Every structure is written in C-alpha cells, then in structure tokens.
Amino acid sequence: MTKYQLLTVLLLLFCLTPVRAEDGSRLWLRADASAQAKVTANKKSPTIDIAIKELQTNWHGDKVNLVIPAKAGIPSSAGLTKEGMTGEGYSITGDAKKGITISAFSEQGLLYGAYHLLRLQETGRVEYPLNIQESPQYNLRILNHWDNLDGTVERGYAGHSIWKWDELPNTISPRYKEYARANASIGINATVLNNVNASPKILTAELLEKVKAIANELRPYGIKVYLSVNFSSPAILDGLKTSDPLDKDVQGWWKNKVKEIYRIIPDFGGFLVKANSEGQPGPQDFGRTHADGANMLADALKPYHGIVMWRAFVYSPSNEDRAKQAYLEFMPLDGQFRDNVIIQVKNGPIDFQPREPFSPLFGAMKHTGVMAEVQVTQEYLGHSNHLAFLAPMWQEFLESDTYANGKGSFVANTISAIAGVSNIGDDINWTGSHLAQANWYAFGRLAWNPQLSSEQIADEWIRQTFSQDESFVEPVKTMMLNSWEAVVNYMMPLGLHHIFAVGHHYGPEPWGIIPGGRPDWQPWYFHNADTIGLGFDRSSTGSNAVSQYFSPLKEEFNDINTCPPPFLLWFHHVPWQYKLQNGRSLWDELCYHYDLGVQQVRDFQKVWDKQESYVDAERFQHVQSRLKIQARDAQWWKDACLLYFQEFSKQPVPYDIERPVNDLEQLKQVRLNISNYENASR
Ligand code: GCV
C-alpha cells in the first residue's frame, strides 16, 4: 500500500466513525464555535463582551445587533415594551436578511437573549421573522451547593466540590467560568457556595478572599454569590458570650461582618440560613423566634440590598407528625419578618421524597415572601446511578393548586423565587451521570419560566446535548419523561415515603431500626405497616395534617375515596383489602406498581441500547452501565418492599406479575458503603 493509499484509508476510517468520543464536559453547550457572525452593540461591558463573543463564534446567521435602549425613548422597532418585562428580560426580532436585534433593559438581559437565540439554533427552532419577548417569572433563580469547606459535598454524587478552597484565591480553576456560562445559558442568576450545615469558617477574612475570587469569575455572567451562615458564628469565631439575636453586641458583630463582606464583594447577595434544624444552632437556643433571628441578619444586610433566605426545614423530636411541624412553627410568625427576608420552603412537607404533596406553607404565608426549594441532586432518587428526569416532578409541584385565594392559586404563583440544591461536582461530566445534566438544565429553564412543559425542556436538552435526529430524540424523550414516575413506582408508590436504608438514602430498608434513634428517623414511623394495612394516617382521625391545606383540598385529601392515589398512603392508613377505584385491592395495586417500575427500567434499557449509532461510544456505554445498575436496584427495591410488606398483608403476589428473585433475609443483610453521608443526618 502506498503512503497515499494508507492516508486515504485512514481518512475514510475517520469519516466513518459515527460520532466523536465525548466526556460530557461540554454539557448542553455544544455549538462548534466555527461561526463568524457580525455582532455589534451600543454599549460595552464585560457581560456584553461575553454576549458578543458567544454570538460571533456560534451564531451561523449573518448580523446581530445588541441594543440597550436609552431609558427615555425606547425605540418601538426594538420590540421592547416595559410592560411585563423585568430588568433581565429581552426581545429578539428580525430575520435573516435584515439581521437580528436583541434588545434588553440590562446587560444581563442581552446575554440571556444571546443564549436564547443560540438555543433556538441548536434545537433547530429558528423561524423567521423572529418576534420573541421573554422575561423570567422569578427575579431570584438560585443554586444551593451543599459543599463543605473540606471539599466533600453533602448528598453529592458527582465527585468532590468544584470550589477548590485550598487553591483559592491564587489558583482559579477554569471550571468556575464554565460553570457560570452554563448557568447563564439557562437563566440561573445566583448561587450559594457552601452547605446549609455551615461551617462558621466561611465568614473568616481568609475565606472571604476566596469567595471574592469566585464572585469575580461569576459576575460577568450575571451570577451573584450568596453564603450559608452558621447562626453561632459570633460566639464561635470571635468568642462573644452569646449569639442571641437580641443582644446588642451580637447585632453589632453581624453589622460589622456584613460591612466587611460588602467591602470585599460589593454585589454580594446575602445569607442562606438553616437554623434550629437537625442540630444546627439558631435563635431558639436563646429563647427567640425564627423571626427574631432572620430579622437581625436582615437589618444588617438591608443597607446593602442584601437578603436573608431563612429555611423552614424544621422538625423536632416531638409527638407531632413531622409533616406538620414547619407549618406549625412558621405560620404564627407570618407577617413578622422584614421585607428582605424570604422563607425557603422545601417542595414537600417531609424532605425531598420521591413524591410528596406540596408543603401546606405554600399559599398559606400571605404576609411573608416565600421561595421554593427543590432538590436537583438525587438524594432520594437513586443518586447519580438512576435515571430520574425531574422536570415532571417539579411541574407537578409548581402546578399544584393550593386554593389559597380560591381555585387556580398555583404554587408557582405563590412563590417569589426558587432554589435548587445542586447536583454539580468536579466529575468531568459535572453531574456524575450524563443524563443527570438534564436536571440542572431543567431547573434553570423552569426557574425562568415555570409554565414550560417537561416535554419541551427534555426536547431542548436532548437536541443540544446529543442529537437532533428524530429517531433518537423521540424515544429518548419518552424514556426521560417516564423516568421519575418509574423510580416512584419501584421505590415508594401510592404515597409511601422515607423507607430508605438509614443514612445513605439509596436502597430500601422498610424494616430498618436506628437503635436509640428518634422515631421520625425510623422507616416504620412513615409506613406503619401492620396486619390491618399500610400508610400514615394524616386524616382528621389521625394526625390531621390535612387540616393545614385549604378547602376543598383538605376535604379531598381527608376522604380515602377521593384522595388522589399517588398520595393515598401519605394521608391514610389503608386496609390491605381496601378496593381502589380501578377495582384492585391495595395489596395488589402495590404489587403492580412495584412490578411496573421494574418493567419500565427494563424498557429504558431496550430504548437506550437501540441508540448506539447516534451517540459517541463513551457516553453511550456510560449511560448503558448506569441503566444496568438501575435495573438491578429496581428489582432489589421491589423484592425488598413486597417481601417485607407481605409479612403483614399475608397475601400472595398476584400471579400474573414477575416473581421476586431475592430472599428477604438476604436483602436484609445488604450493607452499602456509600461515603457521601458522613455529615448527613437521617
Ligand atoms: C443539608 C436532609 C438531608 C440532609 C440535609 C437536610 C437539609 O435531611 O438528608 O443531608 O442537610 O435535608 O435540607 O438541611
């Protein structure tokens, strides 16, 4: 073979290789940077420079003009109306011939407009003439990192923290910019860098210099930095006798600390606080209320326009149903918080379970700002091993009708901001598994516009991340859209909750007992299996948690016959032989759900295996191996739960579904060594 022939063969082989190997580090931002668009702007700034560069290198059209209109005369041609448009909104108008104009009232708006235009291109959705107006529903769209200063991440399943505290401020990881870019591309505009179980050390001068270095990297992308703080910082860091929020010295300490922070980081966002929750210190240690604590911090932050995000995730070892406690503690304080305090409420009343009804605090706190907290990291949804696309879950939550002001009072309209507990780590693919990137993406998109459908979000993400080929997009989209429900089916269907293995929250342990542990950390507290039936009675004859909801929802939840099946065992202790509307007994229905979950995952495997020719080998195999783990785990969950609950129901598993393949006694011996929960509580 001549040299020439050899070269031709090699070239041919190269061209035939279907897709390039990929490690996933480029996320959904895969435009090839080969464009040469002409981009102009009527202002200059670091943020606008980013927008210009993104478009110059990635926009395959001709001209784009970026405009921030002078406040006085907004040119109507810019397509901007002030009405309904926040500072971060934008408009995109024009066509291929005349060129495109992106207008916004702020630099950040221009950047979001640029990313939107590129998203349209990368999803094949550019339709001329363009006439788009977008504004975010919430002004605060924030990621919460549960990252510790030692580099570990509580409930993190994607390696260590991306924040390299040991190297900062001298060494700046290129990942900080990449992180900022990814967030800006989906409209996330804020981040809390450290764990809510906060080390007081984050407020030391040394750490604040490091925070400043990160803030400098994120700022041009329109991302503000916030910190979680430990309520006892005054006493721990500077030896004050107390951290009582009504103590003058303590108030002075926080004022000085806040002043110091703003001197270092002038656009600092504010504090996130977990107080009097799971062992964290708080105002109640000094006989004060959550309002006293939050207001003291709010007063210190007020002159700088900073805010306090005060978490409502509280429960104490009492006889009261854990699901009721946040409402009981916070409702009496409604109206007592400063206007720069916002109460951060988890989507459900317990703790990010596979499925929960919405927390009754949504809509109920009428005189206090409330924000939602959802969990992007899959603490209770198979970590980064299981595919669980979470847009449908968040959509169910945001679309829930609270009836707070009559019919149509949806959760999405009762909140003024939204936070997502991050699933990001220093793994090369950012989120531990490729498909989990979609949850980061979905969080940003829904935080911008909670009306977006899960279907659209999945579609956008798949097209940008993998392929635009319909033969790939359609089946993978269907698989993703069904995946959360599948996990619910094989883990905790019909409203079951918190029957996880103690500590790591990965596998099943409905039989689990923490010797000497609090009742509400034991699985039996939640499932209440006995010879009569299964489930937690939260009806008016039980804990009466239903009473915390507005009518007619409370009546609907209260009646076993009208309670929606997905929440049946959440609100009721249901007899094994109770007939559901589909005619099946509770026991049979439970079996069918567990079995369906397993079958769904087996189907996901089949769907994915067919996609080999559309995906690079590296990502294809990675996803394939994760689905294999998920299929095994689904079987484990099904067998463990059905065999255990069968000891109470004494009923046979319906004969037309797959038989268990494990023995209960063997499953009880399974011990996992998952290291990511050292700091975690139950
Ligand atoms: C950060 C759950 C998790 C904890 C977490 C806590 C919280 O209990 O298991 O790891 O702590 O929620 O949200 O504060």
Side-chain angles (χ1 to χ4, degrees):
M1 201 186 280
T2 66
K3 232 191 199 168
Y4 175 74
Q5 282 168 326
L6 184 71
L7 215 71
T8 316
V9 171
L10 284 177
L11 210 71
L12 214 75
L13 272 175
F14 180 74
C15 293
L16 285 177
T17 312
V19 242
R20 195 152 55 97
E22 297 261 11
D23 56 19
S25 58
R26 290 195 295 155
L27 295 162
W28 49 88
L29 295 163
R30 284 159 188 271
D32 60 7
S34 64
Q36 291 187 326
K38 289 190 213 74
V39 186
T40 50
N42 69 343
K43 284 210 169 140
K44 246 198 105 44
S45 80
T47 302
I48 295 177
D49 285 349
I50 294 170
I52 293 176
K53 190 161 167 252
E54 290 283 8
L55 291 165
Q56 273 172 346
T57 52
N58 295 317
W59 174 244
H60 288 282
D62 190 18
K63 285 180 293 188
V64 186
N65 190 18
L66 304 178
V67 184
I68 298 192
K71 283 268 174 337
I74 298 165
S76 56
S77 61
L80 270 188
T81 56
K82 272 210 159 156
E83 211 179 301
M85 188 124 165
T86 71
E88 296 172 297
Y90 55 83
S91 79
I92 307 177
T93 53
D95 56 36
K97 246 204 204 138
K98 281 193 275 171
I100 288 160
T101 301
I102 303 179
S103 309
F105 292 121
S106 68
E107 308 163 12
Q108 215 169 315
L110 287 184
L111 184 61
Y112 292 144
Y115 282 123
H116 189 71
L117 185 61
L118 293 173
R119 175 162 47 244
L120 293 178
Q121 171 182 277
E122 296 304 301
T123 53
R125 299 274 189 262
V126 179
E127 281 167 27
Y128 293 123
L130 289 165
N131 190 6
I132 295 166
Q133 270 215 7
E134 285 264 339
S135 266
Q137 170 135 349
Y138 310 116
N139 290 338
L140 181 62
R141 308 174 295 280
I142 188 165
L143 279 181
N144 290 181
H145 287 266
W146 286 357
D147 295 21
N148 299 312
L149 299 182
D150 65 2
T152 58
V153 181
E154 183 157 340
R155 311 307 182 184
Y157 315 106
H160 278 78
S161 171
I162 54 165
W163 315 124
K164 301 297 169 199
W165 298 110
D166 291 347
E167 302 172 352
L168 283 160
N170 298 330
T171 305
I172 306 290
S173 157
R175 277 226 145 175
Y176 302 155
K177 260 206 180 71
E178 291 165 22
Y179 164 89
R181 179 179 181 233
N183 280 321
S185 77
I186 49 175
I188 291 171
N189 66 357
T191 182
V192 181
L193 301 181
N194 60 319
N195 192 352
V196 285
N197 292 328
S199 161
K201 246 179 96 183
I202 192 70
L203 292 180
T204 57
E206 188 196 347
L207 261 293
L208 289 176
E209 281 305 318
K210 297 172 192 258
V211 172
K212 172 185 176 178
I214 297 176
N216 288 347
E217 294 299 291
L218 309 191
R219 185 173 300 110
Y221 288 87
I223 294 166
K224 263 194 190 181
V225 161
Y226 293 67
L227 293 176
S228 297
V229 295
N230 183 300
F231 200 78
S232 287
S233 296
I236 300 173
L237 286 183
D238 281 326
L240 267 68
K241 282 203 216 74
T242 175
S243 293
D244 180 350
L246 298 195
D247 181 281
K248 288 276 170 283
D249 290 343
V250 171
Q251 293 169 355
W253 189 91
W254 282 107
K255 283 204 169 111
N256 284 335
K257 184 50 77 181
V258 166
K259 191 167 166 195
E260 179 189 351
I261 296 175
Y262 279 91
R263 191 175 36 75
I264 301 171
I265 309 158
D267 58 349
F268 179 68
F271 296 145
L272 172 63
V273 192
K274 172 173 176 177
N276 294 121
S277 160
E278 298 188 330
Q280 293 300 313
Q284 292 175 341
D285 302 349
F286 313 97
R288 314 296 182 194
T289 68
H290 285 287
D292 294 330
N295 290 345
M296 179 213 24
L297 297 176
D299 289 344
L301 288 158
K302 182 82 175 176
Y304 311 92
H305 309 291
I307 63 161
V308 177
M309 295 171 286
W310 191 269
R311 295 177 90 228
F313 177 64
V314 293
Y315 59 97
S316 50
S318 72
N319 289 333
E320 192 52 272
D321 175 4
R322 177 168 158 183
K324 290 172 70 180
Q325 294 189 25
Y327 184 100
L328 290 176
E329 249 184 74
F330 276 83
M331 279 307 285
L333 302 175
D334 190 19
Q336 292 182 27
F337 293 94
R338 300 278 193 269
D339 62 3
N340 59 332
V341 174
I342 185 164
I343 306 299
Q344 180 165 306
V345 182
K346 288 188 182 184
N347 59 292
I350 296 281
D351 186 10
F352 299 138
Q353 293 303 290
R355 181 182 238 140
E356 296 194 31
F358 68 88
S359 159
L361 278 171
F362 294 109
M365 291 195 87
K366 294 196 195 260
H367 310 287
T368 309
V370 170
M371 66 189 290
E373 180 182 5
V374 298
Q375 200 178 39
V376 189
T377 189
Q378 293 171 229
E379 173 180 357
Y380 295 105
L381 286 151
H383 299 182
S384 53
N385 282 340
H386 295 197
L387 165 63
F389 178 55
L390 298 179
M393 164 159 134
W394 298 331
Q395 209 177 356
E396 175 176 292
F397 159 63
L398 292 164
E399 284 175 356
S400 296
D401 197 344
T402 65
Y403 292 91
N405 299 304
K407 195 169 164 50
S409 311
F410 304 111
V411 167
N413 300 331
T414 67
I415 54 175
S416 48
I418 184 159
V421 180
S422 151
N423 63 347
I424 298 162
D426 66 359
D427 272 7
I428 189 71
N429 67 21
W430 295 89
T431 54
S433 86
H434 295 286
L435 300 185
Q437 295 175 356
N439 289 332
W440 178 6
Y441 183 86
F443 170 72
R445 296 290 285 135
L446 278 174
W448 180 276
N449 179 3
Q451 268 82 46
L452 283 180
S453 69
S454 303
E455 204 264 334
Q456 177 178 337
I457 296 170
D459 191 275
E460 283 178 3
W461 180 79
I462 294 168
R463 285 173 195 276
Q464 293 171 89
T465 310
F466 282 107
S467 161
Q468 297 242 33
D469 198 312
E470 299 301 330
S471 330
F472 178 83
V473 174
E474 285 311 314
V476 172
K477 187 164 55 183
T478 308
M479 170 177 89
M480 285 173 64
L481 290 172
N482 291 330
S483 59
W484 163 59
E485 196 80 52
V487 180
V488 173
N489 281 332
Y490 65 70
M491 281 189 184
M492 288 168 227
L494 296 169
L496 280 174
H497 51 288
H498 231 321
I499 54 174
F500 288 96
V502 169
H504 53 64
H505 299 170
Y506 185 77
E509 209 172 88
W511 53 83
I513 290 174
I514 312 179
R518 315 163 34 153
D520 58 355
W521 284 1
Q522 321 277 357
W524 55 257
Y525 173 88
F526 297 99
H527 65 64
N528 287 290
D530 57 21
T531 50
I532 296 165
L534 181 68
F536 199 127
D537 185 1
R538 296 195 167 102
S539 73
S540 49
T541 53
S543 80
N544 204 17
V546 291
S547 67
Q548 295 182 336
Y549 291 90
F550 289 93
S551 287
L553 206 54
K554 69 167 94 166
E555 290 79 13
E556 187 183 324
F557 286 155
N558 191 43
D559 183 344
I560 193 172
N561 297 309
T562 56
C563 183
F567 302 126
L568 192 60
L569 303 176
W570 184 281
F571 287 114
H572 296 274
H573 188 67
V574 183
W576 295 113
Q577 287 311 327
Y578 173 78
K579 284 258 177 304
L580 281 89
Q581 280 184 2
N582 62 11
R584 286 193 189 130
S585 68
L586 169 69
W587 167 251
D588 283 0
E589 186 69 354
L590 198 69
C591 294
Y592 281 108
H593 273 275
Y594 274 107
D595 190 58
L596 176 63
V598 175
Q599 298 312 323
Q600 284 173 302
V601 180
R602 301 310 303 260
D603 283 345
F604 298 162
Q605 288 184 288
K606 291 180 205 156
V607 170
W608 187 254
D609 279 0
K610 275 197 214 129
Q611 310 308 325
E612 191 160 6
S613 60
Y614 301 101
V615 187
D616 51 282
E618 208 173 333
R619 285 190 297 168
F620 175 77
Q621 282 158 16
H622 198 263
V623 173
Q624 191 182 44
S625 69
R626 293 295 159 120
L627 286 171
K628 214 183 267 178
I629 297 173
Q630 187 172 6
R632 284 198 293 262
D633 289 348
Q635 183 76 51
W636 172 27
W637 269 96
K638 172 190 162 188
D639 291 356
C641 294
L642 289 187
L643 292 174
Y644 175 69
F645 291 136
Q646 193 176 36
E647 293 190 333
F648 301 91
S649 81
K650 311 269 185 230
Q651 301 291 310
V653 172
Y655 295 110
D656 56 334
I657 65 175
E658 302 282 350
R659 315 282 83 204
V661 295
N662 297 290
D663 294 323
L664 184 58
E665 285 317 307
Q666 268 169 356
L667 295 175
K668 284 187 177 174
Q669 302 314 313
V670 176
R671 291 279 171 273
L672 289 189
N673 181 17
I674 294 179
S675 59
N676 265 321
Y677 66 99
E678 300 96 324
N679 296 317
S681 22
R682 169 80 178 120

